[in-house]
Amino acid sequence: MLVDLSMPLSPKTVPVPGHPEPTFVPLHLLERDGLRNTVMSLSLHTATHIDAPSHFVADGAAIDEIAIDRFHRPGVRLDLTGSQPGAAIGLAELDAAGFEPTGCRGAIVMLATGWTDRAFETPQLYGGNPYLALDAAEAIASAAPSAIGLDFAVDHGKPFPNHTVLLGADVLLIENLMR
């Protein structure tokens, strides 16, 4: 069974602060041209997206260099729905949710807070979100999953330490998932 966990993409989609709002301009109209087509403009970090190591690592792999099987792996879901807006999720919270490093090796670890579902069309999507504490990011990196999927932004802002730790360990980041 396949389940789409991606955020809807529309003119209402909230971009990362400092990034342009997504725009959609009709190119062809069915009535006029016999087909529909739209020109879309957005940052690659809009809505649900994947961060490859090259995002923060000088010689890291770009997304087109990632083997497709990195996205077809067993999943490990950690229920973090008790996480508070704007609060760090530390190693203690991961452990309480059942984090087991040996069970994460090569898997896709899904961190589920419910944040994106609640905030995806609000200005609080970025900034009011829960985020990983550095000890949690380091523990996940040491567990060596193929990727982590999150329904929140992994960092709380610059200098983006969790991106550096996780992407530096070749852990892909699948951000802004929804249920």
Side-chain angles (χ1 to χ4, degrees):
M1 172 174 62
L2 294 176
V3 178
D4 184 359
L5 300 175
S6 57
M7 182 188 296
L9 189 57
S10 77
K12 293 185 205 177
T13 302
V14 175
V16 173
H19 290 228
E21 292 187 15
T23 59
F24 303 82
V25 179
L27 179 62
H28 298 110
L29 300 175
L30 188 61
E31 302 77 19
R32 181 186 72 205
D33 305 306
L35 65 121
R36 285 190 186 104
N37 197 355
T38 302
V39 175
M40 179 174 67
S41 177
L42 52 83
S43 161
L44 291 176
H45 286 80
T46 301
T48 303
H49 64 275
I50 301 168
D51 289 348
S54 66
H55 185 39
F56 273 80
V57 179
D59 59 349
I63 195 67
D64 62 332
E65 299 171 317
I66 305 295
I68 195 72
D69 74 332
R70 294 275 308 268
F71 303 100
H72 188 247
R73 302 287 177 98
V76 175
R77 182 181 184 276
L78 299 179
D79 184 347
L80 298 163
T81 53
S83 301
Q84 296 301 307
I89 298 167
L91 182 55
E93 288 80 17
L94 292 183
D95 288 342
F99 177 65
E100 177 54 54
T102 57
C104 295
R105 182 166 301 281
I108 298 177
V109 177
M110 305 294 285
L111 306 179
T113 66
W115 176 254
T116 303
D117 290 275
R118 294 190 306 270
F120 80 99
E121 289 184 339
T122 74
Q124 289 76 35
L125 179 62
Y126 298 102
N129 57 285
Y131 61 95
L132 284 181
L134 188 57
D135 67 338
E138 289 170 341
I140 292 169
S142 293
S146 177
I148 60 170
L150 315 97
D151 62 1
F152 55 93
V154 70
D155 274 304
H156 197 57
K158 292 180 180 179
F160 308 110
N162 298 326
H163 276 81
T164 302
V165 165
L166 292 159
L167 295 172
D170 197 33
V171 177
L172 305 174
L173 304 178
I174 309 169
E175 293 183 304
N176 296 327
L177 295 171
M178 296 182 75
R179 289 186 210 203

